[in-house]
């Protein structure tokens, strides 16, 4: 008894001592719990968490497969909400077993998507924590899902981005990992995943991209299919933009490097592997004619605007109302057929009248609605959407952007005064540009010297030497910023201010991008991003309707109204008897626009607008097998094709058709001060020695052809200049190819009519020349310098 009492007394004494010690501590320290209290609380929390986890693991069942296996079609409608464009979305999938999938392809998928797949238990806590941390620290949204989790999401759940779905995914993944082998999980994942090109599952993907069964895939091919899983629509190198192609190849390299790290591939074998180019996309059933191109534009908008993700869109069941106007769409197709296709004769001219392609887009300036596009003649025969491609230089259609940048730059020309539309520049051909980052002395069309002329007159004549200098005076970085604000994507090639040649249109925006930029001019400087879907809805089983929120379309001020209206006023002079767009006078109502042609006659453009509608038309040729650009020289029997010919004629025919019967609208222009003085056209220009300066200056040059004073149809055809070869890659030492300037003035009566030659012309002087271009390689895989231009007979 005495021992127990002593023991109790000692414990009481210790507790009392601890209490006294705690009372002696500062007040703030006494507020903190003791380690015993802390340890007890943590133990309780841990036990509660483990218990909750165990309960949830037991009560969350593995569900039946979701309804994706019986997905509906997507229905695309014209703007009236009733007329059907196309139906797509039927699941294209054939399941295979793990033994049919080559081991190299299996390993590539593991390397690309989940490098701990064979070790983890269905989830990867480290990966989830890492992905969460990277997202919180601003490194972008990143996924930490394992292959098992992705399989569960694809096969059992939905693509909904909710905490509840993510929680169910985690517990089901743990159960599936316990109930199924790794091979079964990997097979299910590869059979249920979407690879792009409407291909669900690895077997359909093998056929879609390489035309073979999955069992015949090579290691590089399997690695590319594995790379596609992250972003199938973006990483399809046959339809991707140049920037996205680089990302796709980088993802492919990442996959192969991971295979080396995981021991699936030796370093020597890795070094010997080259990128396996996939086959061209094959058309989907029901997308023939113009339907496939319209669906492509609508899908591109939905995905790029973040309205819906690829997997959810391709799962089907959506009713999609677009902005496309059927009458306008039919008119665009008819204009191309009438003005170009009917004039081609591939049988008589097989080397020049084949592979001719047209890109076009039509946008409402006041709303940004895309009302029509021209992506090709028939999606079933040509499954490439030329309206969206970003690999054709736009040439002189970039000059209005140079002008806009100069007018609102606050900078001055060489005479020290602010740049206005009436600022005078030296129009001598091959006048060296002063103040640019790279040496540059662009020739004018046919080497013509225009002497001292205004920016307004130089736009009408499309004088290269003037706008090359004006762009530098405005500041190349400012020109680039202006282009981006107007709607030219910042990642297209040819927009590098480190190259002086940027001023003359080395950029390669799509026809739709260019239409959006010109729509901003027509809308007094207010720019919309072109959009093509008005409504998206899906009816679920049981009657519930899913209606994603559509973006609000609010314009941004790209440039101030005074500047935009001044540019429009100048572009009206292009559509005049003295301008390069004279053919558009046949529209018979107020219009403004700009022609464009590029080196070696690799492309020709017209971008123009009336107050109510903006339309762009681009023309080019492309080898269907190599996809190399080919010169337009010889098309329809003409040795030279410029923006003022077929592109302007197609534009005029389309605009006349869709505007027929509507009230004629006049431009409501309020150009900024100093930009609307009347201009007297320059007379015969002479070459006079002068001292070059960084702005509107003159330069000494040897005598050349001078700007004629007689009408275009009365003067002889100037001889062509030799082709100039320039490097295609834009570097400070090697600028991009020089876009070709437009021809001297033509009259409405001098443009080609429907009576075109039926045989190849001979280079003899005639009264009505088709403009020529200077040689030089274009961007990408083009064929290099084109032949020297010759003059066709009178059409």
């Amino acid at each position: 008894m005495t021992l127990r009492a002593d023991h109790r007394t000692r414990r009481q004494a210790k507790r009392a001592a601890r209490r006294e010690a705690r009372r002696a501590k500062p007040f703030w320290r006494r507020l903190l719990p003791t380690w015993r209290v802390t340890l007890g609380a943590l133990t309780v929390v841990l036990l509660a968490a483990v218990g909750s986890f165990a309960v949830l693991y037991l009560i969350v069942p593995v569900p039946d497969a979701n309804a994706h296996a019986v997905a509906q079609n997507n229905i695309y409608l014209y703007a009236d909400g009733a007329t059907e464009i196309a139906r797509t979305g039927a699941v294209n999938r054939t399941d295979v077993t793990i033994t049919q999938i080559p081991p190299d392809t299996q390993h590539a998928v593991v390397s690309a998507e989940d490098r701990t797949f064979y070790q983890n238990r269905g989830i990867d806590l480290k990966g989830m924590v890492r992905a969460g941390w990277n997202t919180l620290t601003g490194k972008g949204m990143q996924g930490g899902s394992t292959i098992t989790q992705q399989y569960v999401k694809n096969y059992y759940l939905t693509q909904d981005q909710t905490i509840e779905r993510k929680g169910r995914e985690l517990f089901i993944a743990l159960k599936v990992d316990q109930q199924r082998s790794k091979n079964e999980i990997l097979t299910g994942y590869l059979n249920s995943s979407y690879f792009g090109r409407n291909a669900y599952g690895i077997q359909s993907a093998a056929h879609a991209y390489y035309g073979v069964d999955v069992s015949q895939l090579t290691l590089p091919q399997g690695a590319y299919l594995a790379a596609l899983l992250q972003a199938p629509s973006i990483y399809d190198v046959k339809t991707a933009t140049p920037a996205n192609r680089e990302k796709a190849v980088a993802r492919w390299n990442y996959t192969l490097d991971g295979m080396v790290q995981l021991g699936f591939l030796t370093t020597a074998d890795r070094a010997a592997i080259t990128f396996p180019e996939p086959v061209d996309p094959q058309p989907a059933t029901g997308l023939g004619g113009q339907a496939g191109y319209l669906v492509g534009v609508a899908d591109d908008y939905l995905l790029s605007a973040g309205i819906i993700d690829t997997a959810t869109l391709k799962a089907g069941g959506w009713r999609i109302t677009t902005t496309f106007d059927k009458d306008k769409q039919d008119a665009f197709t008819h204009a191309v057929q009438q003005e170009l296709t009917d004039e081609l004769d591939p049988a008589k001219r097989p080397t020049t009248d084949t592979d001719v392609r047209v890109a076009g887009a039509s946008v409402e300036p006041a709303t940004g609605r895309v009302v029509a596009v021209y992506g090709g003649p028939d999606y079933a025969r040509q499954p490439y959407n030329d309206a969206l491609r970003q690999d054709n230089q736009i040439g002189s259609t970039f000059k209005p952007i140079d002008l806009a940048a100069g007018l609102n730059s606050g900078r001055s020309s060489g005479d020290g005064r602010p740049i206005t539309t009436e600022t005078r520049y030296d129009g001598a051909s091959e006048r060296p540009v002063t103040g640019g980052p790279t040496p540059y002395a662009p020739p004018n069309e046919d080497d013509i010297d225009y002497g001292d002329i205004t920016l307004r007159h130089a736009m009408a004549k499309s004088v290269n030497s003037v706008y090359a200098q004006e762009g530098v005076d405005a500041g190349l970085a400012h020109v680039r910023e202006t282009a981006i604000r107007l709607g030219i994507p910042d990642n297209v090639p040819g927009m590098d201010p480190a190259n002086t040649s940027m001023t003359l249109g080395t950029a390669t925006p799509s026809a739709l991008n260019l239409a959006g930029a010109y729509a901003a001019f027509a809308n007094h400087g207010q720019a919309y991003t072109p959009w093509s879907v008005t409504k998206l809805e899906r009816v679920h089983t049981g009657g519930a309707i899913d209606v994603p929120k559509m973006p609000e379309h609010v314009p941004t001020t790209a440039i101030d109204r005074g500047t935009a209206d001044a540019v429009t006023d100048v572009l009206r002079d292009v559509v005049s008897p003295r301008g390069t767009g004279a053919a558009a006078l046949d529209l018979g109502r107020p219009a403004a626009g700009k022609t464009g042609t590029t080196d070696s006659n690799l492309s020709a453009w017209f971008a123009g607008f009336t107050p109510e509608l903006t339309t762009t038309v681009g023309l080019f040729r492309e080898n269907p097998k190599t996809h190399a650009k080919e010169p337009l020289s010889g098309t329809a029997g003409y040795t030279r094709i410029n923006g003022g010919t077929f592109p302007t004629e197609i534009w005029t025919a389309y605009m006349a058709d869709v505007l027929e019967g509507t009230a004629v609208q006049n431009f409501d222009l309020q150009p900024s001060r100093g930009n609307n003085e009347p201009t007297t056209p320059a007379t015969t220009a002479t070459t006079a020695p002068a001292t070059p300066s960084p702005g509107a200056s003159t330069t000494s040059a040897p005598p050349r052809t001078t700007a004629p004073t007689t009408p275009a149809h009365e003067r002889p055809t100037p001889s062509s200049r030799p082709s100039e070869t320039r490097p295609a890659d834009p570097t400070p030492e090697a600028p991009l190819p020089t876009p070709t300037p437009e021809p001297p003035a033509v009259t409405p009566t001098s443009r080609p009519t429907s009576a075109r030659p039926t045989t190849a012309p001979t280079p003899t002087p005639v009264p009505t020349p088709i403009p020529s271009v200077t040689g030089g390689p274009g961007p990408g895989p083009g064929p290099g310098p084109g032949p020297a231009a010759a003059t066709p007979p009178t059409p």
Side-chain angles (χ1 to χ4, degrees):
M1 290 291 293
T2 303
L3 290 175
R4 284 199 298 269
D6 290 342
H7 181 66
R8 185 166 52 252
T9 301
R10 284 196 298 270
R11 281 188 301 171
Q12 291 174 347
K14 287 181 180 179
R15 283 198 295 269
R18 284 197 298 269
R19 284 195 296 269
E20 288 300 323
R22 185 170 181 80
R23 291 193 188 99
K25 292 180 179 180
F27 176 76
W28 66 267
R29 181 64 182 82
R30 294 200 303 273
L31 293 177
L32 298 177
T34 65
W35 67 270
R36 287 182 176 82
V37 174
T38 302
L39 180 60
L42 290 176
T43 301
V44 171
V45 171
L46 180 61
L47 290 174
V50 171
S52 299
F53 189 91
V55 171
L56 289 171
Y57 180 84
L58 292 173
I59 66 174
V60 175
V62 176
D64 294 331
N66 62 37
H68 177 70
V70 290
Q72 305 173 62
N73 290 329
N74 286 330
I75 302 174
Y76 293 79
L77 305 172
Y78 280 103
D80 61 10
T83 306
E84 189 173 305
I85 298 173
R87 288 175 177 253
T88 68
V91 176
N92 173 29
R93 175 173 53 217
T94 302
D95 289 347
V96 293
T97 65
I98 195 67
T99 58
Q100 293 174 273
I101 305 172
D104 284 337
T105 299
Q106 298 176 40
H107 297 156
V109 172
V110 170
S111 172
E113 293 296 307
D114 180 9
R115 294 182 180 178
T116 67
F117 173 69
Y118 290 112
Q119 292 78 40
N120 65 51
R121 297 297 182 181
I123 63 173
D124 180 6
L125 294 177
K126 286 171 137 182
M128 294 169 67
V129 171
R130 182 175 59 252
W133 176 253
N134 287 339
T135 300
L136 289 174
T137 54
K139 296 181 180 178
M141 291 292 293
Q142 299 188 14
S145 297
T146 63
I147 283 178
T148 307
Q149 288 175 271
Q150 293 182 61
Y151 166 56
V152 166
K153 178 179 66 173
N154 292 341
Y155 192 73
Y156 296 108
L157 303 175
T158 68
Q159 305 293 323
D160 295 340
Q161 299 297 319
T162 63
I163 295 176
E164 187 269 342
R165 196 274 298 161
K166 193 69 177 175
R168 293 184 64 204
E169 174 190 302
L170 187 146
F171 288 104
I172 295 172
L174 288 171
K175 283 192 172 183
V176 168
D177 187 74
Q178 293 295 315
Q179 298 170 4
R180 296 193 176 187
S181 68
K182 291 293 186 181
N183 279 348
E184 288 177 313
I185 294 171
L186 184 59
T187 304
Y189 173 66
L190 289 175
N191 280 330
S192 62
S193 294
Y194 180 65
F195 289 81
R197 298 194 183 185
N198 202 34
Y200 284 89
I202 190 73
Q203 171 75 333
S204 296
H207 278 281
Y209 288 90
Y210 293 106
V212 299
D213 285 331
V214 64
S215 61
Q216 298 173 297
L217 287 172
T218 64
L219 189 158
Q221 292 171 344
Y224 176 62
L225 295 185
L228 282 170
L229 287 165
Q230 187 181 65
S233 297
I234 294 175
Y235 288 171
D236 186 345
V237 296
K238 287 296 185 179
T239 58
T241 63
N244 285 339
R245 179 185 171 89
E246 290 182 9
K247 293 178 182 178
V249 175
R251 181 69 177 175
W252 176 76
N253 283 314
Y254 166 84
T255 299
L256 291 173
D257 293 340
M259 293 180 70
V260 174
Q261 294 174 14
L262 295 172
F264 297 140
L265 183 64
T266 67
T267 303
D269 289 341
R270 165 69 181 92
I273 295 175
T274 56
F275 185 75
E277 287 287 341
V279 299
D280 292 342
Q282 300 303 306
T285 305
L287 295 179
Q290 294 298 302
Y293 306 122
L294 301 182
V295 167
V297 173
D299 285 356
D300 181 74
Y301 169 69
L302 289 172
L303 298 175
S304 62
I307 300 169
I308 194 172
D309 62 44
T310 301
T312 304
L313 176 63
K314 294 300 181 181
W318 294 100
R319 185 178 179 88
I320 302 166
T321 304
T322 70
T323 59
F324 305 122
D325 183 298
K326 189 177 188 309
D327 291 338
K328 290 182 173 63
Q329 185 62 42
D330 291 345
F332 216 144
T333 304
H334 181 260
V336 174
Q337 179 71 38
Q338 172 185 286
E339 299 299 327
L340 175 65
T341 309
D342 288 349
E343 305 302 325
L344 303 178
D345 193 341
K348 290 186 177 181
R349 295 181 290 270
T351 60
T352 59
D353 282 17
T354 55
D355 312 325
V356 182
R357 298 168 71 152
V358 175
S362 192
V363 175
E364 290 180 350
T367 65
R369 293 165 55 102
V370 183
V371 297
V373 298
Y374 189 87
D378 183 355
Y379 192 79
R381 292 187 289 114
Q382 180 196 299
Y384 293 94
N385 197 335
D386 290 336
L388 297 179
R389 65 188 302 159
Q390 295 177 336
D391 60 352
N392 288 303
Q393 292 184 346
I394 59 171
S396 292
T397 57
F398 193 82
K399 287 175 182 173
I401 299 175
D402 292 327
L403 178 59
L407 297 181
N408 73 357
S409 67
R411 301 177 66 167
S412 63
S413 60
D415 60 7
R417 290 178 293 180
I419 297 173
T420 72
T421 60
E422 313 313 315
T423 298
R424 307 189 77 86
Y425 275 80
D426 177 14
S429 183
E430 296 190 274
R431 176 193 179 277
V433 175
T434 57
T438 54
Y440 195 42
N444 294 331
E445 180 71 24
D446 297 316
D447 216 15
I448 294 176
D449 286 340
Y450 288 90
D452 189 37
I453 59 174
T454 65
L455 287 173
R456 178 186 296 273
H457 189 200
M459 185 72 76
K461 301 291 187 181
S462 200
V463 182
N464 251 15
S465 57
V466 168
Y467 275 94
Q469 184 64 63
E470 187 273 340
V472 170
D473 290 347
L476 295 181
H478 183 57
V479 171
R480 172 184 163 82
E481 291 169 3
T482 302
I484 293 170
R485 289 199 303 271
L486 286 167
I488 304 298
D490 61 0
N491 61 349
V492 298
M495 284 264 285
D496 185 0
N499 289 286
T500 309
S501 59
M502 184 190 80
T503 55
L504 299 186
T506 55
T508 61
S510 69
L512 186 55
N513 298 149
L514 189 59
Y518 271 65
F521 289 133
N523 197 34
H524 311 294
Q526 298 298 301
Y528 287 93
T529 299
W531 54 284
S532 55
V533 175
T534 60
K535 188 176 181 181
L536 181 68
E537 62 180 359
R538 177 171 61 179
V539 179
H540 294 277
T541 302
I545 300 178
D546 186 5
V547 184
K549 181 177 175 57
M550 302 299 289
E552 295 183 6
H553 304 289
V554 180
T556 60
T557 301
I559 51 179
D560 63 83
R561 174 166 186 165
T563 296
D565 286 1
V567 173
T568 297
D569 191 42
V570 169
L571 295 183
R572 293 175 64 190
D573 282 3
V574 176
V575 184
S576 71
R578 69 169 182 162
T580 58
L585 285 170
D586 284 358
L587 179 61
R589 61 173 66 210
K594 185 69 188 76
T595 53
T597 313
T598 58
D599 266 350
S600 298
N601 217 173
L602 294 181
S603 62
W605 292 84
F606 185 73
F609 52 91
T610 61
E612 65 267 52
L613 192 61
T614 300
T615 302
T616 56
V617 179
L619 190 68
F620 64 99
R621 292 181 66 223
E622 180 176 289
N623 186 298
K625 294 182 179 179
T626 65
H627 300 292
K629 295 296 174 7
E630 299 174 336
L632 289 166
S633 307
T635 298
Y638 293 97
T639 308
R640 311 188 312 195
I641 301 298
N642 282 67
T645 56
F646 289 117
T648 306
E649 292 168 2
I650 293 170
W651 182 93
T652 304
Y654 163 74
M655 295 287 281
D657 194 344
V658 301
L659 296 177
E660 183 179 5
T662 64
V664 174
Q665 294 190 27
N666 292 307
F667 287 107
D668 177 20
L669 301 182
Q670 300 174 20
S672 52
R673 184 177 181 182
N675 291 310
N676 59 349
E677 285 93 354
T679 304
T680 303
T683 56
T684 304
T686 59
T687 54
T691 302
S693 65
S697 58
T698 58
T699 184
S700 59
R704 292 189 184 87
T705 308
T706 58
T709 56
T710 55
H713 66 278
E714 296 179 2
R715 61 180 181 267
T717 302
S719 59
S720 2
R721 301 177 66 251
S723 298
E724 295 180 3
T725 302
R726 296 182 177 88
D729 295 327
T731 65
E733 293 78 19
L736 281 169
T738 307
T740 302
E742 293 306 311
V746 293
T747 64
T749 59
S750 68
R751 71 183 183 89
T753 64
S754 59
R756 292 188 171 92
T758 57
T759 58
T762 56
T764 56
V766 293
T768 310
I770 299 294
S772 66
V773 297
T774 57
T791 306
T794 303

